[in-house]
Amino acid sequence: MRIFFGWLILGILGFTLVTACNHHTSQTISSSPKLPATECHIIKHTMGETCVPINPQRVVTLSSSTLGNALALGIKPIGTTNEIHQENKSLTSVKDKTEEIKLIGLSQPNLEAALLLKPDLIIGVDWFQSIYPQLSKIAPTVLGELNYPTWEKHLSFVAEALGKQATEKALWNRYYQRMEELKLALGNRYQDKKISFIYIWNDQISTDAKNSFVGSILSDALLQRPASQNIDAPYGAVEISLEELEKADGDILFVATYARDGGNQFFEKIQRNLLWKNLKAVQENHVYFVDFTAWAATHMLGTDAVIDDLYKYLVNTP
């Protein structure tokens, strides 16, 4: 069975992108107007080449990663999908940035809702190839690759589509500045410590590999991982059974639960298990609970949230 978490970021897959409703909607969507070459620039993407507005004003994003990157680049979309949206929570892990952004779907967009927004640009990921013809009739649409272990490439793709390459460079400069400050604050306190990170959803547990979103941040901070997580893995995660819980252990254990699929209830069961109680991090009271939507972000806004947590629990916690 493939790793859940890796492609929870791929839209909590298991959805069918082309539904009968979408098929019906596509029949009523007229083709988006073509822009003069002087008002657009060519973007290469998974579906070919598209001329997109030089200064788009009404952007729709498809995926939480695309949304977060657009916001980080200073563009507030008018609408978005968000596959990790949770009821009564902000659309992203970063608060106060998503007001007035219309949620047009979770794993897949509602095409009628997208059409009503009258976007001048749709930016998304290549999970939506099967409905690209319908999307491109609503507005110029570009779909970029989002491979969980190489999440940085999607930021560059969104920046190119929005003409925000200079802003992207500034974002990376700020990220590396924060990382240097974090390493200085950490000192050598954790040079011999192993930092573990697990996701819990429904009745499954996944450990985060080093070639993941969080794995890349921990690596940049020069923090060490347990041997079972110090590997590259498909989708950046490794699913483990309850009997393999020792693979989740470390000197420090970060835990994120996905409440929408029963993660909290399953975690309560795990905590009653003797294998959990025998973990070193548990016995030494070094288990820290972090926000799933932040640590699963795969976008630049999420890096700030993860770094903030590393300060909170590794620098400021005795």
Side-chain angles (χ1 to χ4, degrees):
M1 180 178 180
R2 289 197 169 188
I3 302 302
F4 156 77
F5 177 70
W7 294 134
L8 172 67
I9 303 306
L10 285 186
I12 317 294
L13 286 182
F15 64 84
T16 302
L17 281 173
V18 182
T19 64
C21 177
N22 282 351
H23 177 76
H24 172 75
T25 303
S26 69
Q27 306 306 312
T28 65
I29 295 175
S30 58
S31 297
S32 59
K34 292 186 177 180
L35 296 171
T38 56
E39 298 178 9
C40 64
H41 61 117
I42 296 294
I43 297 296
K44 294 181 179 180
H45 58 110
T46 54
M47 302 304 291
E49 296 183 353
T50 299
C51 207
V52 306
I54 292 175
N55 185 28
Q57 301 297 307
R58 300 181 62 80
V59 177
V60 165
T61 53
L62 306 180
S63 87
S64 60
S65 183
T66 312
L67 168 63
N69 284 327
L71 289 169
L73 291 163
I75 299 297
K76 177 178 278 191
I78 58 172
T80 191
T81 62
N82 190 345
E83 67 279 1
I84 58 174
H85 172 73
Q86 297 185 47
E87 190 174 356
N88 299 322
K89 287 193 175 184
S90 172
L91 281 172
T92 69
S93 59
V94 181
K95 306 294 188 271
D96 303 323
K97 291 185 178 291
T98 58
E99 293 180 2
E100 300 178 355
I101 300 178
K102 183 174 179 59
L103 184 66
I104 61 170
L106 298 179
S107 295
Q108 62 175 328
N110 180 306
L111 295 176
E112 291 181 348
L115 178 63
L116 289 173
L117 289 176
K118 298 180 179 179
D120 56 9
L121 176 62
I122 299 174
I123 309 175
V125 290
D126 55 5
W127 325 328
F128 300 105
Q129 294 183 40
S130 59
I131 57 170
Y132 179 77
Q134 295 98 309
L135 293 169
S136 62
K137 288 181 180 179
I138 297 173
T141 301
V142 291
L143 303 181
E145 178 184 357
L146 177 57
N147 190 330
Y148 181 56
T150 56
W151 64 271
E152 300 96 333
K153 290 182 179 179
H154 192 59
L155 170 62
S156 295
F157 176 77
V158 176
E160 182 185 9
L162 294 173
K164 294 289 185 178
Q165 293 92 333
T167 305
E168 181 199 4
K169 183 177 180 180
L171 287 174
W172 280 116
N173 288 340
R174 181 179 179 278
Y175 169 82
Y176 287 118
Q177 179 181 347
R178 289 206 73 194
M179 191 57 66
E180 290 304 312
E181 293 168 352
L182 174 62
K183 288 189 289 186
L184 184 63
L186 290 170
N188 59 6
R189 291 167 59 187
Y190 296 94
Q191 64 180 10
D192 297 320
K193 304 291 186 181
K194 299 296 188 292
I195 311 299
S196 176
F197 178 43
I198 64 172
Y199 302 91
I200 297 172
W201 73 287
N202 200 353
D203 60 351
Q204 298 191 36
I205 308 167
S206 291
T207 62
D208 221 41
K210 68 179 183 179
N211 65 323
S212 67
F213 173 67
V214 169
S216 67
I217 298 173
L218 295 178
S219 177
D220 287 341
L222 302 182
L223 292 167
Q224 304 301 309
R225 309 296 304 283
S228 61
Q229 300 172 34
N230 192 34
I231 59 172
D232 289 337
Y235 312 114
V238 177
E239 192 174 299
I240 63 173
S241 66
L242 189 58
E243 292 72 27
E244 299 174 302
L245 202 55
E246 72 277 359
K247 293 182 179 179
D249 204 4
D251 297 286
I252 304 291
L253 174 57
F254 288 105
V255 178
T257 59
Y258 188 62
R260 200 177 80 188
D261 277 349
N264 290 342
Q265 292 85 346
F266 181 52
F267 183 58
E268 290 173 1
K269 176 182 176 181
I270 292 173
Q271 288 178 299
R272 295 191 293 267
N273 191 289
L274 184 62
L275 292 174
W276 172 263
K277 295 178 181 179
N278 285 338
L279 295 180
K280 179 180 180 181
V282 174
Q283 293 181 344
E284 297 184 358
N285 199 30
H286 290 157
V287 179
Y288 304 118
F289 301 95
V290 294
D291 180 61
F292 182 92
T293 58
W295 285 55
T298 63
H299 55 65
M300 185 53 85
L301 287 183
T303 64
D304 272 333
V306 175
I307 291 173
D308 286 346
D309 280 340
L310 295 178
Y311 269 105
K312 178 179 179 180
Y313 296 114
L314 300 187
V315 176
N316 300 326
T317 299

